[in-house]
Amino acid sequence: MRPYAVIGALLLAAACTTGPSLETRGQVTAPPGNSKHLTVGSAGFTESDLLAHMYALLLNQAGYKTSILTVANRELYEPALESGQIDVVAEYAATFADWLNAKTNGPEAAPVGSPDLAATMRALRTSATPRGLTVLDPGRAVDQNAFAVTRAYAARHHLRTLSDLGRSGLEVRLAAGDECVRRPYCEPGLKKTYGIDVVGVDPKGVGTTQAKRAVQDGRDQMVLTTTTDATLDEFGLVLLADDKHLQNADYVVPVVNRSRAGGERVTKALGAVNSALTTQDLASMNRQVDSWRRLPEDVARTWLQDKGLLK
């Protein structure tokens, strides 16, 4: 029998869509809670499932009864985190900072996430704390936007970094999402920060099979993907290092509902993941699930045991 229950995806009730009211937000300074049963949220994609299972396994070992709730939409799971229907979730620092900032200050609010991790964490905690959320310390793993070329292309032109590509003067057609033409981390940033001659954007999506095949076949020269992409090797692709730090600091951070899971025991249990987990570990585990068809729970358990974190 599994040590924790897995709850299937569901639509959360509208009643859970608000956190502490303006009148009660002062209560977030009350002593943190320590509920015996904790619900761990997953956003429904492979990496989020893996992190949710790691968190649940370690919390179970620490003496909690845990369940996993899959809610694939941040517009639903973040209010559930505020209300206590979800107690713990793995988030990404810069993305979540910008999301909470926009929720507080409107969709046109200037981004607060940046490549500076310390500044990003300050902004994230500023937005999270009044909502009754505690953002734990980030670990070593980061899931950022990244750019890949074929291994042969990189070797032929002596490319290891995006700066190398900029200095090469090569014309680059980029396979990415259609929003790339206006996003600062994408075409505008590649041109401004690295001097890369982007001659066009092929709107095939971020890290999709179609985008990777377009680069593999030579129709495009570079693809927008992520640092934990599990299938680059299958397409003969390699990442070029973001050596000037164009991308935001999307480090993995546990976020907890303070009134239910803000205690020291939870912080210690989840901190064990952050101290050991690397970006390469995440990519490897993603590959085991996506390419080898292993179950996320089994992959998470094996990794924790291999690291000596799970008995």
Side-chain angles (χ1 to χ4, degrees):
M1 183 175 179
R2 293 182 181 182
Y4 54 89
V6 179
I7 304 175
L10 57 92
L11 181 64
L12 297 174
C16 78
T17 59
T18 57
S21 68
L22 292 175
E23 293 79 10
T24 60
R25 283 188 178 182
Q27 294 177 9
V28 299
T29 58
N34 191 33
S35 300
K36 294 180 179 180
H37 182 281
L38 298 176
T39 300
V40 181
S42 169
F45 57 93
T46 296
E47 189 167 292
S48 188
D49 286 344
L50 284 163
L51 290 163
H53 281 290
M54 281 190 272
Y55 289 0
L57 286 163
L58 287 177
L59 288 169
N60 181 263
Q61 180 174 256
Y64 297 95
K65 181 179 179 181
T66 59
S67 56
I68 292 177
L69 177 62
T70 300
V71 184
N73 186 318
R74 187 179 277 118
E75 284 75 9
L76 291 176
Y77 76 67
E78 188 279 330
L81 185 62
E82 290 187 31
S83 70
Q85 283 194 279
I86 292 174
D87 302 305
V88 181
V89 72
E91 263 292 355
Y92 301 91
T95 296
F96 199 44
D98 284 338
W99 196 88
L100 285 180
N101 182 55
K103 184 176 179 179
T104 301
N105 298 310
E108 302 304 318
V112 294
S114 74
D116 184 329
L117 177 58
T120 295
M121 289 297 295
R122 285 195 297 272
L124 174 53
R125 284 169 169 154
T126 295
S127 294
T129 299
R131 296 182 175 277
L133 306 179
T134 296
V135 182
L136 305 185
D137 290 339
R140 302 156 62 193
V142 57
D143 189 350
Q144 296 169 300
N145 293 302
F147 296 91
V149 299
T150 65
R151 190 174 287 104
Y153 184 85
R156 183 163 65 252
H157 298 292
H158 309 289
L159 306 176
R160 291 190 301 172
T161 68
L162 290 170
S163 288
D164 292 339
L165 182 57
R167 285 190 293 268
S168 74
L170 293 165
E171 292 185 348
V172 174
R173 183 169 165 83
L174 177 63
D178 55 9
E179 73 280 2
C180 177
V181 296
R182 61 183 181 275
R183 293 288 174 85
Y185 66 80
C186 204
E187 180 183 352
L190 291 174
K191 290 179 174 179
K192 181 179 179 180
T193 302
Y194 289 107
I196 296 172
D197 186 9
V198 180
V199 296
V201 172
D202 187 2
K204 285 186 164 56
V206 179
T208 63
T209 297
Q210 293 84 355
K212 292 171 188 172
R213 282 179 178 162
V215 176
Q216 183 184 40
D217 297 343
R219 287 171 284 154
D220 299 327
Q221 287 71 50
M222 188 162 68
V223 60
L224 171 62
T225 183
T226 66
T227 51
T228 60
D229 191 315
T231 62
L232 292 177
D233 285 344
E234 297 175 20
F235 296 89
L237 302 176
V238 293
L239 295 179
L240 296 181
D242 179 21
D243 53 307
K244 292 184 179 179
H245 307 293
L246 172 63
Q247 303 304 321
N248 282 345
D250 262 328
Y251 284 76
V252 176
V253 289
V255 183
V256 303
N257 179 292
R258 177 182 172 87
S259 67
R260 289 181 50 83
E264 183 178 346
R265 201 149 47 105
V266 170
T267 300
K268 183 178 179 180
L270 300 183
V273 174
N274 277 0
S275 64
L277 185 65
T278 68
T279 304
Q280 291 73 27
D281 289 335
L282 270 180
S284 174
M285 285 189 282
N286 285 337
R287 183 181 304 111
Q288 291 176 57
V289 175
D290 292 339
S291 298
W292 303 356
R293 303 305 180 191
R294 294 188 63 196
L295 294 174
E297 180 183 354
D298 294 340
V299 174
R301 186 188 304 277
T302 298
W303 182 84
L304 291 171
Q305 289 172 338
D306 288 347
K307 295 294 181 179
L309 301 177
L310 192 67
K311 298 176 182 178

